[in-house]
Amino acid sequence: MHDVGVNRTDLSLDSVDHEELYVVRGPRSGITISVAVHSTSSGPAIGGCRIKPYPSVDTAVDDVLRLSRAMTLKCALADLPHGGGKTVATVPDQPLSPSAREALIRDIAETIARLGGRYITGPDIGTTPEDMALIHRLTSGLAFCRPETLGGSGNSSVATAHGVRAALDAAVSHVHHTESVAGLRIGVIGFGSVGRLISESLAADGADVVVTDLNEGLRSQVRRPGLTWTSTDLLRQDLDVLVPAATGGLLTTETAADCRARLIVGPANNQLASDDVAAQLQERNITWVPDVIASAGGIIHAVCREELAYDEPETNARIDAIGVKVTRLLTHASSSGITTLAAAHAMANASEPAPTR
Ligand SMILES: NC(=O)c1ccc[n+]([C@@H]2O[C@H](COP(=O)([O-])OP(=O)(O)OC[C@H]3O[C@@H](n4cnc5c(N)ncnc54)[C@H](O)[C@@H]3O)[C@@H](O)[C@H]2O)c1
């Protein structure tokens, strides 16, 4: 690891296993940008660019380290020829003006360009395909998911939701011994781009879906039969399936102790506040599908379409294959008596990236 550009006194870097970490103050924006490259052993590191407020630079650096490490696991489980990386920019609570935002995106692009191709970014919380178009132009290609009109693979939410459905259907079969979600009571936390698509597809297939979101303004958009809004805490409701589709860190030792869902599977990144929650869920007979496998549809779509020259049906088949992997992972975890997190690590260690064509 090298080039830590901000003097840190309160964050222990002793346990950091990353190849590189950059923490820089953007010369145009004055905003602190952190880029972590966890691994390039299978190919350039990939992972999204997150722009959001953080309470401190320490928490932003912690997040970029955790998220980039998880991306290495996600790429290995998806058999992609990449390792994990991430960008985090910590902004004020008030929205940036358009010119301040463009200054920030230019600073991010400059930081990514300094890594010389060892890291390629993509959209994440707070960034869009249009931002990726600007970064792609300024870095000569180091960004996935530009708009389709500009030659990219566009918004990844549809592919992410597709992958979560594949994971959820496989897990429902394993846990509830049914091939259909019809009649199951399913709670979705987060009615954003991905949560909404998942909720609507489950309701269309006959599930009894109850959704919640911090943003009460979304309540009026819950309209179709089979979908209902709740303001109560879904973690404490009796559910056949809980779908975390908001921010990470939902499953803490406290919430895991109270959780009454039988199965948890969803797109939110880094759902466990700490790894020991995986064992706690296992002890409580709650099956948790690691987000590193369930949320990989978007990244599979971007890499297959923009880099591996797969067509749409071939790409969709790769996303559907998440279901087969989830079945293998859950079967291995149950038969070996290990946590699903340990099973994910074992599968990742045994994986082989798909050949580039
Ligand atoms: N978009 C993708 O392709 C993609 C890919 C992989 C992983 N993910 C992850 O999936 C999750 C959802 O992604 P998205 O693109 O739908 O994001 P989004 O920002 O569109 O939606 C997230 C929603 O969660 C709500 N929310 C936040 N905190 C909440 C809380 N505590 N309780 C209830 N609601 C809350 C927000 O109001 C928002 O409506 C994120 O964790 C993201 O990192 C997304």
Side-chain angles (χ1 to χ4, degrees):
M1 192 180 66
H2 54 85
D3 201 9
V4 177
V6 165
N7 245 347
R8 308 187 47 78
T9 52
D10 51 354
L11 176 78
S12 166
L13 295 175
D14 288 348
S15 59
V16 168
D17 55 351
H18 296 61
E19 291 178 11
E20 300 178 62
L21 169 64
Y22 289 80
V23 184
V24 298
R25 180 129 13 247
R28 300 167 189 80
S29 62
I31 287 172
T32 303
I33 298 161
S34 310
V35 180
V37 173
H38 179 251
S39 170
T40 55
S41 59
S42 298
I46 56 174
C49 174
R50 181 168 289 197
I51 299 180
K52 62 171 239 179
Y54 282 88
S56 65
V57 174
D58 283 13
T59 51
V61 172
D62 281 344
D63 214 25
V64 83
L65 293 171
R66 281 185 323 115
L67 289 163
S68 57
R69 190 182 288 117
M71 283 304 299
T72 298
L73 192 53
K74 188 183 283 195
C75 289
L77 287 166
D79 302 317
L80 297 175
H82 289 285
K86 202 81 184 180
T87 299
V88 158
T90 174
V91 288
D93 283 328
Q94 311 77 10
L96 295 174
S97 68
S99 61
R101 200 167 178 290
E102 183 176 330
L104 173 59
I105 297 292
R106 287 179 178 273
D107 284 340
I108 289 170
E110 191 173 277
T111 312
I112 291 170
R114 285 175 66 190
L115 275 84
R118 296 190 297 284
Y119 166 66
I120 308 169
T121 196
D124 197 271
I125 294 169
T127 51
T128 62
E130 288 70 28
D131 296 328
M132 294 307 118
L134 181 54
I135 295 175
H136 190 276
R137 185 160 62 77
L138 295 170
T139 60
S140 305
L142 300 177
F144 285 112
C145 298
R146 286 165 295 147
E148 286 167 286
T149 49
L150 297 176
S153 58
N155 187 323
S156 55
S157 303
V158 172
T160 300
H162 174 178
V164 173
R165 260 317 290 268
L168 187 147
D169 290 352
V172 159
S173 170
H174 182 88
V175 171
H176 293 295
H177 311 292
T178 167
E179 300 310 311
S180 161
V181 296
L184 295 183
R185 184 163 167 75
I186 302 182
V188 180
I189 301 180
F191 198 61
S193 338
V194 182
R196 175 188 312 234
L197 292 168
I198 297 167
S199 305
E200 289 176 348
S201 89
L202 290 167
D205 288 345
D208 170 15
V209 183
V210 52
V211 303
T212 191
D213 197 291
L214 275 187
N215 179 358
E216 279 278 334
L218 296 174
R219 178 193 282 262
S220 61
Q221 296 177 24
V222 174
R223 281 192 286 255
R224 65 170 302 140
L227 266 190
T228 46
W229 177 275
T230 183
S231 299
T232 59
D233 185 356
L234 281 178
L235 268 163
R236 291 171 179 81
Q237 288 197 16
D238 287 318
L239 295 169
D240 297 306
V241 188
L242 175 68
V243 180
T247 46
L250 176 81
L251 299 167
T252 63
T253 46
E254 290 77 28
T255 57
D258 287 349
C259 179
R260 282 160 53 191
R262 175 67 189 83
L263 166 65
I264 303 174
V265 50
N269 283 318
N270 283 358
Q271 290 165 23
L272 302 187
S274 56
D275 286 359
D276 52 352
V277 176
Q280 194 186 351
L281 292 169
Q282 182 191 25
E283 278 157 25
R284 297 202 57 231
N285 199 29
I286 296 170
T287 299
W288 173 67
V289 177
D291 43 275
V292 283
I293 194 161
S295 70
I299 197 81
I300 292 172
H301 184 259
V303 172
C304 285
R305 296 295 283 135
E306 295 189 32
E307 194 181 79
L308 301 181
Y310 280 45
D311 63 19
E312 203 64 31
E314 289 171 317
T315 302
N316 285 335
R318 282 285 297 268
I319 298 171
D320 283 333
I322 290 175
V324 177
K325 290 181 182 185
V326 166
T327 302
R328 262 178 38 217
L329 185 149
L330 296 181
T331 306
H332 177 53
S334 330
S335 61
S336 315
I338 59 173
T339 66
T340 52
L341 183 61
H345 280 281
M347 266 177 78
N349 289 335
S351 75
E352 289 283 338
T356 310
R357 291 185 300 175

